[in-house]
Amino acid sequence: MQQGCGPISDSQPEFLGEIPGTSGNNAFYRLIPQPSPIPILIAVPHAGRAYPTSLLERMRHPGFVAQRLEDRYVDLLAEEVARETGASLLVAQAPRAMIDLNRASDDVDWDMIGDRFENPSTSPFSQDVGCYTPHKLLSGRRAKSGLGLIPRRLPGLGELWKRRHNSAELTARISGIHAPYHDCLAASLRELRRRWGAVLLIDLHSMPSLTLHGGHPAPEFVVGDRFGSSCHGTLIAHAFSYFAEMRRGTAHNRPYAGGYVLERHADAKHGFHAFQLEIDRASYLDSRLLECGDGFADMANLLIGLVRRLAGEVANLGQNQPYTGWQEAAE
């Protein structure tokens, strides 16, 4: 199995959005085979590596920051899975350091914005770009931890930036990357649900190796379904059964239960199922966690088997899904 980025299928990817500070570089790409052979979409929001020079120059430790923030090369795993199974793809090319697609657009640490605007008439934000109340520029929950819409700090590294950002930059990142990514994800899920009656979104991430607990091996995977709210239990049960058959340790919701992507796009009652899948980076990267390692091919094959196992179950759920076209029309 090749580890490169060759053709994924006969369908051609759509390159969408725009990364501010570049010469028109697209923020993400979408690939939905026509017709779609399975009702699964794999989204990869944190593996983007298209860093504008202006962003790198502003970072205190660009090499370390990129390595720590990226879900390094998990997009290559997703591409292999899509190539072999026909799953649809939505892959961010914009880096997480620029904007975190798994955060709400108002989850901002406003202390990072040098020209915070207090006068609503001068606010650069609109309803088309973000969900802001200019009178109340309160930092979001995630932002307070240092990992908001624009990451601010990391354990062991401290502050990531040499100077503050400005509101115009924030607006450009939301309008060029965040808003079109989530609009595209929503439209893609609707398209697949319309065809199959149900759809499964696998929000794919990688994680640092977890620590041992109680003498048991640390899990290699974490499946997050927002504690049962984002995905039908049958699909979660099949995922755990598969990993058990493959003798791979898996945890449920802890320490990763799923973030904004699941909160916004999952609606299991109406056929939109979603879970977040975290993979131990050491399982597929080299010892430095910088390049694809000897375990890459095995990990890709493991995920291919998982997607094939789940595809039929999603299709079965779709056959029993009540028609909800009136709801789409209302939207």
Side-chain angles (χ1 to χ4, degrees):
M1 180 180 293
Q2 295 180 350
Q3 296 181 12
C5 298
I8 298 173
S9 75
D10 292 336
S11 300
Q12 295 299 313
E14 296 178 87
F15 292 89
L16 303 164
E18 184 174 344
I19 302 176
T22 66
S23 300
N25 288 4
N26 293 109
F28 57 92
Y29 75 84
R30 175 178 79 157
L31 176 67
I32 300 184
Q34 299 295 338
S36 59
I38 61 173
I40 292 180
L41 187 151
I42 303 172
V44 185
H46 285 169
R49 298 181 292 280
Y51 290 89
T53 302
S54 58
L55 190 75
L56 294 172
E57 290 174 345
R58 186 178 297 188
M59 289 181 180
R60 291 181 183 274
H61 310 284
F64 291 111
V65 169
Q67 182 182 354
R68 291 282 298 277
L69 281 177
E70 286 177 15
D71 288 344
R72 195 159 182 85
Y73 293 148
V74 78
D75 55 320
L76 302 188
L77 288 172
E79 288 172 354
E80 293 289 356
V81 175
R83 181 180 292 113
E84 295 298 323
T85 65
S88 299
L89 281 177
L90 184 65
V91 178
Q93 299 185 118
R96 183 185 183 187
M98 174 167 267
I99 193 165
D100 192 332
L101 294 166
N102 202 23
R103 301 289 183 266
S105 61
D106 60 352
D107 197 357
V108 177
D109 184 341
W110 293 106
D111 287 337
M112 295 178 65
I113 308 302
D115 59 338
R116 296 189 303 276
F117 40 87
E118 302 296 342
N119 183 349
S121 65
T122 64
S123 168
F125 297 108
S126 69
Q127 293 181 351
D128 294 332
V129 175
C131 303
Y132 294 90
T133 306
H135 295 289
K136 302 177 181 179
L137 295 183
L138 303 177
S139 296
R141 178 176 60 85
R142 291 278 190 176
K144 292 177 181 178
S145 72
L147 289 175
L149 187 66
I150 300 178
R152 177 173 180 173
R153 67 178 72 88
L154 281 171
L157 287 179
E159 295 287 332
L160 305 182
W161 307 101
K162 297 176 183 177
R163 60 186 183 275
R164 288 177 172 176
H165 302 256
N166 62 57
S167 57
E169 292 172 325
L170 178 59
T171 303
R173 296 178 193 184
I174 293 172
S175 61
I177 304 171
H178 192 280
Y181 178 90
H182 284 284
D183 288 347
C184 183
L185 178 52
S188 301
L189 292 173
R190 287 196 300 269
E191 181 178 340
L192 289 167
R193 203 286 303 266
R194 191 176 295 115
R195 171 172 168 78
W196 291 94
V199 60
L200 173 63
L201 165 64
I202 300 178
D203 199 43
L204 191 62
H205 298 256
S206 68
M207 63 183 180
S209 298
L210 299 175
T211 56
L212 300 177
H213 291 285
H216 298 289
E220 190 176 1
F221 302 90
V222 178
V223 176
D225 63 353
R226 296 186 65 81
F227 300 97
S229 66
S230 69
C231 190
H232 196 287
T234 297
L235 300 179
I236 300 298
H238 276 280
F240 274 91
S241 175
Y242 175 79
F243 284 127
E245 291 172 16
M246 298 295 108
R247 301 183 182 276
R248 302 294 185 114
T250 312
H252 192 197
N253 285 317
R254 300 187 186 279
Y256 306 106
Y260 174 71
V261 169
L262 268 58
E263 179 182 349
R264 175 166 173 171
H265 297 284
D267 185 1
K269 290 182 179 180
H270 297 118
F272 296 93
H273 305 276
F275 65 77
Q276 179 173 300
L277 181 61
E278 298 273 359
I279 306 171
D280 186 343
R281 293 168 192 159
S283 297
Y284 67 92
L285 295 178
D286 62 15
S287 59
R288 299 177 301 155
L289 303 181
L290 291 177
E291 302 297 335
C292 295
D294 294 338
F296 182 92
D298 286 342
M299 179 57 68
N301 286 327
L302 184 75
L303 297 177
I304 288 166
L306 173 67
V307 167
R308 286 174 172 163
R309 172 76 63 90
L310 293 175
E313 299 303 325
V314 180
N316 289 338
L317 288 175
Q319 291 178 356
N320 299 319
Q321 182 69 33
Y323 178 71
T324 54
W326 63 271
Q327 291 173 329
E328 289 185 6
E331 294 173 0

